[in-house]
Short mmCIF file of all heavy atoms in Angstrom, two decimals:
data_model
loop_
_atom_site.label_atom_id
_atom_site.label_comp_id
_atom_site.label_asym_id
_atom_site.label_seq_id
_atom_site.Cartn_x
_atom_site.Cartn_y
_atom_site.Cartn_z
N ALA A 1 52.30 -145.26 71.85
CA ALA A 1 50.92 -145.73 72.03
C ALA A 1 49.94 -144.79 72.61
O ALA A 1 48.88 -144.69 72.16
CB ALA A 1 50.88 -147.07 72.85
N ALA A 2 50.48 -144.03 73.61
CA ALA A 2 49.63 -143.09 74.23
C ALA A 2 49.26 -141.99 73.23
O ALA A 2 48.10 -141.40 73.36
CB ALA A 2 50.35 -142.39 75.44
N ALA A 3 50.16 -141.61 72.45
CA ALA A 3 49.87 -140.49 71.31
C ALA A 3 48.93 -140.96 70.43
O ALA A 3 48.22 -140.13 69.79
CB ALA A 3 51.35 -140.11 70.75
N GLN A 4 48.86 -142.17 70.14
CA GLN A 4 47.88 -142.72 69.06
C GLN A 4 46.56 -143.09 69.59
O GLN A 4 45.56 -143.23 68.79
CB GLN A 4 48.52 -143.93 68.42
CG GLN A 4 49.87 -143.64 67.80
CD GLN A 4 49.82 -142.73 66.60
OE1 GLN A 4 48.84 -142.61 65.76
NE2 GLN A 4 50.76 -141.74 66.69
N ALA A 5 46.46 -143.38 70.91
CA ALA A 5 45.28 -143.71 71.58
C ALA A 5 44.25 -142.61 71.86
O ALA A 5 44.70 -141.43 71.88
CB ALA A 5 45.69 -144.51 72.86
N PRO A 6 42.95 -143.00 72.03
CA PRO A 6 41.97 -141.95 72.32
C PRO A 6 42.31 -141.58 73.89
O PRO A 6 42.91 -142.16 74.51
CB PRO A 6 40.66 -142.63 72.15
CG PRO A 6 40.97 -144.15 72.30
CD PRO A 6 42.32 -144.31 71.70
N ASP A 7 41.60 -140.45 74.25
CA ASP A 7 41.81 -139.80 75.56
C ASP A 7 41.62 -140.86 76.63
O ASP A 7 42.42 -140.97 77.69
CB ASP A 7 41.00 -138.59 75.75
CG ASP A 7 41.39 -137.46 74.86
OD1 ASP A 7 42.60 -137.52 74.37
OD2 ASP A 7 40.58 -136.52 74.70
N SER A 8 40.59 -141.59 76.65
CA SER A 8 40.21 -142.58 77.62
C SER A 8 41.37 -143.57 77.87
O SER A 8 41.59 -144.02 78.99
CB SER A 8 38.81 -143.25 77.42
OG SER A 8 38.87 -143.93 76.17
N ALA A 9 41.86 -143.98 76.72
CA ALA A 9 42.93 -145.06 76.83
C ALA A 9 44.32 -144.39 77.20
O ALA A 9 45.06 -145.17 77.77
CB ALA A 9 43.16 -145.70 75.42
N VAL A 10 44.50 -143.19 76.91
CA VAL A 10 45.76 -142.52 77.23
C VAL A 10 45.85 -142.53 78.75
O VAL A 10 47.00 -142.74 79.32
CB VAL A 10 45.80 -141.03 76.73
CG1 VAL A 10 47.02 -140.34 77.34
CG2 VAL A 10 45.93 -141.03 75.28
N ARG A 11 44.88 -142.25 79.46
CA ARG A 11 44.84 -142.23 81.05
C ARG A 11 45.42 -143.57 81.40
O ARG A 11 46.17 -143.59 82.47
CB ARG A 11 43.54 -141.85 81.58
CG ARG A 11 43.25 -140.38 81.44
CD ARG A 11 42.06 -139.96 82.15
NE ARG A 11 40.85 -140.60 81.72
CZ ARG A 11 40.03 -140.16 80.72
NH1 ARG A 11 40.29 -139.08 80.18
NH2 ARG A 11 38.92 -140.88 80.37
N GLY A 12 44.98 -144.70 80.88
CA GLY A 12 45.39 -146.02 81.37
C GLY A 12 46.93 -146.22 81.02
O GLY A 12 47.56 -146.74 81.84
N LEU A 13 47.31 -145.80 79.77
CA LEU A 13 48.69 -145.98 79.24
C LEU A 13 49.64 -145.24 80.21
O LEU A 13 50.82 -145.71 80.47
CB LEU A 13 48.74 -145.66 77.88
CG LEU A 13 48.08 -146.72 76.94
CD1 LEU A 13 48.14 -146.18 75.57
CD2 LEU A 13 48.94 -148.05 76.97
N GLU A 14 49.15 -144.03 80.61
CA GLU A 14 50.17 -143.18 81.38
C GLU A 14 50.48 -143.87 82.78
O GLU A 14 51.49 -143.60 83.40
CB GLU A 14 49.35 -141.83 81.60
CG GLU A 14 49.47 -141.04 80.38
CD GLU A 14 48.69 -139.74 80.51
OE1 GLU A 14 47.84 -139.49 81.54
OE2 GLU A 14 48.89 -138.63 79.75
N ARG A 15 49.47 -144.64 83.16
CA ARG A 15 49.61 -145.33 84.48
C ARG A 15 50.49 -146.66 84.33
O ARG A 15 50.78 -147.24 85.41
CB ARG A 15 48.35 -145.50 85.12
CG ARG A 15 47.67 -144.29 85.52
CD ARG A 15 46.51 -144.67 86.54
NE ARG A 15 45.51 -145.48 85.98
CZ ARG A 15 44.36 -144.95 85.32
NH1 ARG A 15 44.29 -143.59 85.17
NH2 ARG A 15 43.53 -145.82 84.73
N LEU A 16 50.62 -147.04 83.00
CA LEU A 16 51.30 -148.35 82.83
C LEU A 16 52.74 -148.28 83.22
O LEU A 16 53.43 -147.51 82.79
CB LEU A 16 51.08 -148.75 81.34
CG LEU A 16 51.80 -150.03 80.87
CD1 LEU A 16 51.17 -151.27 81.58
CD2 LEU A 16 51.75 -150.15 79.40
N ASP A 17 53.11 -149.32 84.19
CA ASP A 17 54.48 -149.47 84.56
C ASP A 17 54.94 -150.91 84.15
O ASP A 17 54.38 -151.94 84.68
CB ASP A 17 54.64 -149.21 86.03
CG ASP A 17 56.14 -149.35 86.40
OD1 ASP A 17 56.92 -149.89 85.79
OD2 ASP A 17 56.47 -148.80 87.50
N PHE A 18 55.65 -151.03 83.13
CA PHE A 18 55.99 -152.36 82.54
C PHE A 18 56.54 -153.20 83.54
O PHE A 18 56.45 -154.45 83.58
CB PHE A 18 56.87 -152.26 81.28
CG PHE A 18 57.05 -153.47 80.54
CD1 PHE A 18 55.91 -153.91 79.69
CD2 PHE A 18 58.18 -154.29 80.75
CE1 PHE A 18 56.02 -155.33 78.92
CE2 PHE A 18 58.13 -155.57 79.89
CZ PHE A 18 57.23 -155.84 79.11
N ARG A 19 57.41 -152.54 84.55
CA ARG A 19 57.98 -153.35 85.64
C ARG A 19 56.94 -154.00 86.39
O ARG A 19 57.24 -155.22 86.90
CB ARG A 19 58.89 -152.40 86.45
CG ARG A 19 60.12 -151.86 85.69
CD ARG A 19 60.83 -150.85 86.45
NE ARG A 19 60.00 -149.79 86.65
CZ ARG A 19 60.27 -148.67 87.25
NH1 ARG A 19 61.42 -148.48 87.83
NH2 ARG A 19 59.45 -147.63 87.43
N GLU A 20 55.87 -153.40 86.70
CA GLU A 20 54.76 -154.00 87.47
C GLU A 20 54.15 -155.24 86.73
O GLU A 20 53.67 -156.19 87.29
CB GLU A 20 53.77 -152.91 87.75
CG GLU A 20 54.14 -151.95 88.87
CD GLU A 20 54.49 -152.55 90.20
OE1 GLU A 20 53.92 -153.43 90.47
OE2 GLU A 20 55.43 -151.97 90.86
N VAL A 21 54.04 -154.99 85.32
CA VAL A 21 53.36 -156.20 84.57
C VAL A 21 54.31 -157.30 84.76
O VAL A 21 53.83 -158.48 85.00
CB VAL A 21 53.31 -155.65 83.08
CG1 VAL A 21 52.81 -156.85 82.17
CG2 VAL A 21 52.34 -154.54 82.92
N ILE A 22 55.70 -157.12 84.52
CA ILE A 22 56.48 -158.27 84.66
C ILE A 22 56.59 -158.83 85.99
O ILE A 22 56.62 -160.01 86.27
CB ILE A 22 57.98 -157.80 84.35
CG1 ILE A 22 57.93 -157.30 82.73
CG2 ILE A 22 59.01 -158.91 84.44
CD1 ILE A 22 57.52 -158.45 81.91
N ARG A 23 56.58 -157.91 87.04
CA ARG A 23 56.68 -158.30 88.40
C ARG A 23 55.38 -159.17 88.80
O ARG A 23 55.50 -160.28 89.41
CB ARG A 23 56.76 -157.21 89.27
CG ARG A 23 57.00 -157.54 90.81
CD ARG A 23 57.28 -156.41 91.83
NE ARG A 23 58.38 -155.72 91.35
CZ ARG A 23 58.44 -154.36 90.87
NH1 ARG A 23 57.23 -153.77 90.73
NH2 ARG A 23 59.64 -153.81 90.55
N SER A 24 54.23 -158.81 88.35
CA SER A 24 52.95 -159.46 88.65
C SER A 24 53.01 -160.83 87.94
O SER A 24 52.60 -161.85 88.64
CB SER A 24 51.78 -158.72 88.14
OG SER A 24 50.59 -159.33 88.27
N ALA A 25 53.40 -161.03 86.79
CA ALA A 25 53.41 -162.29 86.01
C ALA A 25 54.56 -163.18 86.75
O ALA A 25 54.22 -164.39 86.90
CB ALA A 25 53.88 -162.09 84.56
N THR A 26 55.62 -162.56 87.14
CA THR A 26 56.71 -163.41 87.77
C THR A 26 56.13 -164.07 89.15
O THR A 26 56.36 -165.16 89.47
CB THR A 26 57.91 -162.67 88.05
OG1 THR A 26 58.37 -162.08 86.77
CG2 THR A 26 59.00 -163.55 88.70
N GLU A 27 55.44 -163.05 89.83
CA GLU A 27 54.94 -163.57 91.24
C GLU A 27 53.99 -164.69 91.08
O GLU A 27 53.68 -165.55 91.97
CB GLU A 27 54.40 -162.39 91.97
CG GLU A 27 55.38 -161.43 92.33
CD GLU A 27 54.83 -160.15 92.97
OE1 GLU A 27 53.56 -159.94 92.88
OE2 GLU A 27 55.55 -159.37 93.64
N LYS A 28 53.23 -164.76 89.93
CA LYS A 28 52.29 -165.84 89.75
C LYS A 28 52.86 -167.10 89.43
O LYS A 28 52.39 -168.30 89.79
CB LYS A 28 51.29 -165.51 88.53
CG LYS A 28 50.29 -164.33 88.74
CD LYS A 28 49.47 -163.98 87.64
CE LYS A 28 48.58 -162.91 87.84
NZ LYS A 28 47.83 -162.46 86.69
N VAL A 29 54.11 -167.21 88.74
CA VAL A 29 54.53 -168.45 88.37
C VAL A 29 55.87 -168.89 89.07
O VAL A 29 56.10 -170.00 89.27
CB VAL A 29 54.97 -168.39 86.72
CG1 VAL A 29 55.56 -169.63 86.21
CG2 VAL A 29 53.71 -168.16 86.01
N PHE A 30 56.59 -167.88 89.50
CA PHE A 30 58.00 -168.24 90.09
C PHE A 30 57.86 -169.15 91.30
O PHE A 30 58.73 -170.05 91.41
CB PHE A 30 58.61 -166.87 90.50
CG PHE A 30 60.01 -166.85 90.25
CD1 PHE A 30 60.67 -167.26 89.12
CD2 PHE A 30 60.90 -166.36 91.29
CE1 PHE A 30 61.94 -167.33 88.91
CE2 PHE A 30 62.29 -166.34 91.09
CZ PHE A 30 62.83 -166.81 89.81
N PRO A 31 56.84 -169.05 92.08
CA PRO A 31 56.76 -170.01 93.23
C PRO A 31 56.57 -171.54 92.79
O PRO A 31 56.84 -172.49 93.52
CB PRO A 31 55.55 -169.61 93.99
CG PRO A 31 55.49 -168.10 93.69
CD PRO A 31 55.87 -167.97 92.23
N ALA A 32 56.03 -171.74 91.48
CA ALA A 32 55.87 -173.08 91.03
C ALA A 32 57.08 -173.66 90.20
O ALA A 32 57.16 -174.75 89.78
CB ALA A 32 54.65 -173.02 90.14
#
C-alpha cells in the first residue's frame, strides 16, 4: 500500500502499526 500511495499518504502508512489498531479497538469494547 505504501508503494502505491502518494508521498503524503506513505508517511502515514509507514507509521501504521496494525497491533495498535487492534489494541485500540479492543480497549474500546472489551470492558463492555
Side-chain angles (χ1 to χ4, degrees):
Q4 302 298 317
D7 291 342
S8 59
V10 168
R11 288 190 293 271
L13 285 169
E14 287 175 343
R15 294 193 299 269
L16 175 65
D17 186 338
F18 193 76
R19 293 169 299 182
E20 288 297 328
V21 174
I22 297 302
R23 187 176 296 120
S24 174
T26 301
E27 289 174 350
K28 290 179 182 178
V29 178
F30 218 44

